[in-house]
Amino acid sequence: MLGIISDKHNFSITLKLLRNGSLSIDELAKEMEMSKQKVQEHIEKLVNCGYVFERRRKRKKHYFVNHKTIKPLLEILNKHIGTHIENKRRS
């Protein structure tokens, strides 16, 4: 599952959703400057592993971050990055 979030597009989509709350495929495609098809492929991976949920609003699906899975993961990444930066400073 870490491989999913380590993909730069998946990570960028996750950050966009964190910042915006929820977005549709159309909105994400515009934000990411990617085709709707490519965004859909990445979103499906994020939904399948539980990082992102989907909710229907009128005719469109909107996607939002599953904070129960993403928050602990981001905390681990933040700790790792902080340790890596501190080690670089000591070198």
Side-chain angles (χ1 to χ4, degrees):
M1 286 189 10
L2 284 176
I4 299 293
I5 201 70
S6 67
D7 176 88
K8 69 178 182 178
H9 297 298
N10 293 340
F11 188 72
S12 294
I13 288 170
T14 303
L15 291 179
K16 297 268 184 212
L17 294 173
L18 278 169
R19 290 184 186 123
N20 293 291
S22 71
L23 295 168
S24 68
I25 292 293
D26 293 340
E27 293 165 329
L28 279 167
K30 185 176 179 181
E31 287 273 330
M32 300 289 299
E33 298 179 354
M34 293 173 63
S35 72
K36 292 176 192 177
Q37 181 181 355
K38 280 290 181 193
V39 171
Q40 183 65 45
E41 290 172 13
H42 289 285
I43 280 288
E44 285 176 10
K45 291 175 187 175
L46 291 166
V47 168
N48 288 338
C49 71
Y51 293 151
V52 170
F53 290 131
E54 62 183 33
R55 174 179 21 200
R56 187 168 288 282
R57 287 191 184 160
K58 298 184 182 179
R59 295 183 184 173
K60 291 187 177 183
K61 289 181 183 176
H62 281 249
Y63 298 89
F64 59 100
V65 170
N66 178 354
H67 289 278
K68 289 182 181 179
T69 58
I70 290 297
K71 186 177 178 183
L73 181 60
L74 292 178
E75 288 171 354
I76 290 167
L77 290 172
N78 189 39
K79 184 178 178 182
H80 174 73
I81 290 168
T83 302
H84 182 71
I85 289 171
E86 189 61 34
N87 288 342
K88 284 265 191 192
R89 286 183 187 156
R90 291 181 188 161
S91 300

